Amino acid sequence: MHPGVLPEMAKKHGNVFTLRGGTQPVIILSGFETIKEALIKHSEIFAGRPLTPFFKVITKGKGIVFANGHTWKQQRKFGIVTMQKLGKKVLTHQIQAEAQQLVEIFASANGQPFDPSLPIINSTSNVACALVFGRRYSSSDEEFLKLTEIVNYNTEFGGTFSHLLYETFPWLMKHIPWPYKKSFVCVDDLLSYVKKEIEKHRVEPPMEEPQDFINYYLFQMEKSKNDPTSTYDEENLFQCISDIFSAGTDTTAKTLQWALLLLMTHPDIQEKVHKELDDAFGPSQTIGYQDRKKIPYTFALIHEVMRYKCILLTGNPRLSLQDITILGTFIPKGSMIVPDVHSVFSDPKIWETPKKFNPSHFLDKDGKFVDREELVLFGAGSRVCIGKELAKMELITFFSNLLRAFTFKLPEGVKEVSTEPVLGFTLTPQHYKLCAIPRNSET
Ligand code: HEM
């Protein structure tokens, strides 16, 4: 489905309408005011997550993304607090180090055309490794390559024909050797890898303060072992880790790929970014998240990429936990709700030039960055993405360090490149090649 379809349907059927035809009816929330009314004003009523047959088998309803009730509340709170602690202490430096690595990898292409998608996904995966395992890997490390392959397979599997078939006929699919079986094997492989990591962490000499997610989790398990309401156990730990990899690596990587593609198709905007970076920083400084206030245009651009080339087909589904009426439409308990984020991002009442890539959407008249609640890409309310800050840290750090080092150009002879997405659950850029021309070598 094209992302423009649901906003068109809302024009005909109103801002709350039902899609039928799949395994269960889906209620679409269209427009910012509707999404706000439901997900923010009635946050607790829409705090549920539907667990479809495939994800029920894969996640067992554990962890954060597909958990509900007490387990979800406890695991989510733990995730948020731990990420905040690690963010300040370790992640800021890890992301800067990763950005330097990425600059080196781009530089090794010597200005020749290459596909940036693999180095980018390796970088965002390495940030997840730093968060969860407390270390990064070299991009040729066998274990790392296996790990990223597993995670990528399962992220790409979502939304495929085979996946949708499983969701529709789960009883039948159990007897057919379709690619979903590989997806289950990937989960088992990830589980055995994570188990090995947990054991390694268990035998490490105790540290004064935990340094990664597993450390913090094991500490919490020990602390709450006599608490009958505790959900801190190895199954939830594994699923939290799996959630961090699957929700956090591909999303961030795809956004960065869009950003580089859009710069090549908007050289005037690329020039403005270069100027801002040159005015703000010396030649050998590594730029970090803490520097974002010095580069409002670049920070605004990152937000505009997320609006203009939103990587999600729709917002993530929710489940209503009580009967409720939203803007005059009755929604019964147990309904599946989907916020249509594209209806917000294409609304001319919200954005000056919705069809144009325009970083000024996130700037005030004095050129200062303005964070806008209408950028509902990370969801809203009680289940808003817990990695929102981390994603922004990664995006601004990777992007600004790359832009300071290179001018991005299309390969010689390539006059045009498509900015139409490959359609699926995520809206991915089509494979493209770029030339990263070192700026210090330009005349
Ligand atoms: C550009 C990058 C990202 C985008 C676009 C994105 C988007 C989203 C969206 C739309 C949701 C669903 C929110 C809702 O139901 O309202 C979500 C949830 C979630 N995200 Fe992200 N995300 C990104 C990066 C990350 C990162 C880096 C992490 C790593 C920790 C992460 C972890 C999660 C988790 C654990 C949830 C589940 C929250 C819950 O159900 O309570 N995300 N994300």
Side-chain angles (χ1 to χ4, degrees):
M1 185 176 65
H2 191 275
V5 170
L6 293 178
E8 277 308 312
M9 289 180 79
K11 283 185 194 154
K12 205 165 147 203
H13 303 290
N15 284 339
V16 184
F17 62 95
T18 307
L19 282 184
R20 294 174 208 278
T23 43
Q24 98 177 74
V26 178
I27 297 175
I28 307 291
L29 304 178
S30 186
F32 181 61
E33 289 311 320
T34 319
I35 292 176
K36 197 170 159 185
E37 172 79 14
L39 300 194
I40 298 181
K41 196 162 163 211
H42 298 288
S43 178
E44 288 312 307
I45 294 182
F46 290 102
R49 184 81 75 203
L51 195 53
T52 55
F54 178 75
F55 289 109
K56 197 170 180 176
V57 177
I58 292 269
T59 69
K60 302 184 181 72
K62 303 269 176 185
I64 304 173
V65 180
F66 288 97
N68 278 296
H70 176 61
T71 302
W72 165 67
K73 276 200 181 131
Q74 204 167 55
Q75 300 297 317
R76 176 179 167 92
K77 191 165 169 210
F78 177 84
I80 293 174
V81 173
T82 307
M83 298 229 309
Q84 273 166 356
K85 288 185 197 154
L86 286 169
K88 284 193 207 99
K89 214 163 41 178
V90 228
L91 290 175
T92 321
H93 304 293
Q94 295 273 17
I95 295 170
Q96 274 177 252
E98 207 53 58
Q100 270 171 331
Q101 285 288 322
L102 194 59
V103 168
E104 278 172 32
I105 291 169
F106 275 36
S108 67
N110 293 321
Q112 294 304 307
F114 70 99
D115 179 344
S117 55
L118 190 63
I120 291 177
I121 186 78
N122 282 346
S123 297
T124 59
S125 301
N126 246 330
V127 173
C129 288
L131 166 67
V132 172
F133 308 130
R135 65 194 165 104
R136 75 176 300 280
Y137 296 76
S138 118
S139 53
S140 55
D141 186 296
E142 292 281 320
E143 279 193 336
F144 178 67
L145 292 175
K146 177 93 184 127
L147 193 67
T148 45
E149 195 195 306
I150 291 171
V151 176
N152 290 346
Y153 185 85
N154 271 3
T155 335
E156 278 165 23
F157 183 72
T160 57
F161 179 67
S162 179
H163 169 219
L164 297 176
L165 214 58
Y166 190 99
E167 298 292 21
T168 321
F169 308 108
W171 70 94
L172 177 71
M173 295 301 284
K174 281 180 193 135
H175 308 288
I176 301 174
W178 279 62
Y180 74 86
K181 289 223 162 141
K182 178 161 178 204
S183 200
F184 293 167
V185 172
C186 284
V187 174
D188 287 344
D189 287 350
L190 184 63
L191 181 62
S192 27
Y193 185 80
V194 169
K195 274 195 171 148
K196 266 197 282 167
E197 276 296 327
I198 296 174
E199 285 321 309
K200 272 193 216 157
H201 277 68
R202 278 210 163 103
V203 296
E204 273 167 5
M207 270 168 280
E208 233 171 72
E209 245 193 288
Q211 296 296 316
D212 59 46
F213 193 87
I214 296 183
N215 274 158
Y216 272 109
Y217 204 101
L218 293 177
F219 186 71
Q220 184 65 41
M221 268 168 75
E222 183 59 29
K223 210 168 101 184
S224 47
K225 66 177 178 206
N226 296 322
D227 174 0
T229 67
S230 164
T231 59
Y232 300 108
D233 56 33
E234 271 198 22
E235 270 193 300
N236 274 311
L237 168 57
F238 166 71
Q239 196 50 49
C240 283
I241 293 175
S242 175
D243 284 351
I244 290 174
F245 274 98
S246 51
T249 54
D250 191 58
T251 42
T252 315
K254 296 279 160 59
T255 307
L256 191 56
Q257 284 176 41
W258 274 123
L260 297 182
L261 179 59
L262 288 171
L263 279 202
M264 290 194 295
T265 54
H266 296 80
D268 51 327
I269 294 183
Q270 179 161 193
E271 219 171 276
K272 279 193 196 167
V273 175
H274 279 149
K275 177 155 184 357
E276 183 177 71
L277 293 171
D278 291 347
D279 291 348
F281 306 106
S284 55
Q285 205 177 334
T286 306
I287 308 164
Y289 189 56
Q290 66 286 357
D291 297 314
R292 66 194 179 281
K293 289 213 171 79
K294 297 182 199 157
I295 45 173
Y297 185 81
T298 311
F299 201 43
L301 181 143
I302 289 295
H303 289 75
E304 175 65 354
V305 172
M306 295 195 245
R307 179 199 73 84
Y308 183 69
K309 285 296 174 193
C310 162
I311 50 153
L312 306 177
L313 181 60
T314 64
N316 285 23
R318 298 280 191 89
L319 194 71
S320 60
L321 302 177
Q322 281 176 35
D323 288 352
I324 183 154
T325 298
I326 293 292
L327 303 176
T329 306
F330 176 69
I331 299 179
K333 177 180 172 183
S335 303
M336 196 198 285
I337 313 296
V338 168
D340 175 19
V341 288
H342 292 273
S343 66
V344 183
F345 300 160
S346 59
D347 186 347
K349 292 195 283 311
I350 301 177
W351 315 98
E352 209 183 340
T353 56
K355 290 195 177 140
K356 216 176 121 196
F357 177 53
N358 176 7
S360 302
H361 286 142
F362 293 90
L363 292 170
D364 68 10
K365 59 178 179 8
D366 301 318
K368 286 210 182 77
F369 170 72
V370 193
D371 207 356
R372 300 191 54 179
E373 59 171 352
E374 294 94 339
L375 188 70
V376 282
L377 175 67
F378 294 94
S382 51
R383 290 199 90 123
V384 65
C385 173
I386 70 164
K388 181 175 170 177
E389 201 66 13
L390 176 60
K392 289 190 185 183
M393 278 164 80
E394 291 184 51
L395 289 169
I396 192 69
T397 311
F398 290 146
F399 183 78
S400 53
N401 284 293
L402 285 173
L403 261 291
R404 219 221 348 212
F406 306 105
T407 298
F408 290 99
K409 289 188 177 158
L410 289 172
E412 222 175 276
V414 179
K415 295 267 174 299
E416 254 186 274
V417 59
S418 171
T419 55
E420 281 301 308
V422 178
L423 301 178
F425 273 0
T426 51
L427 303 173
T428 327
Q430 299 182 28
H431 276 288
Y432 66 87
K433 285 190 176 173
L434 51 72
C435 295
I437 313 292
R439 292 188 64 218
N440 55 16
S441 76
E442 284 175 357
T443 48

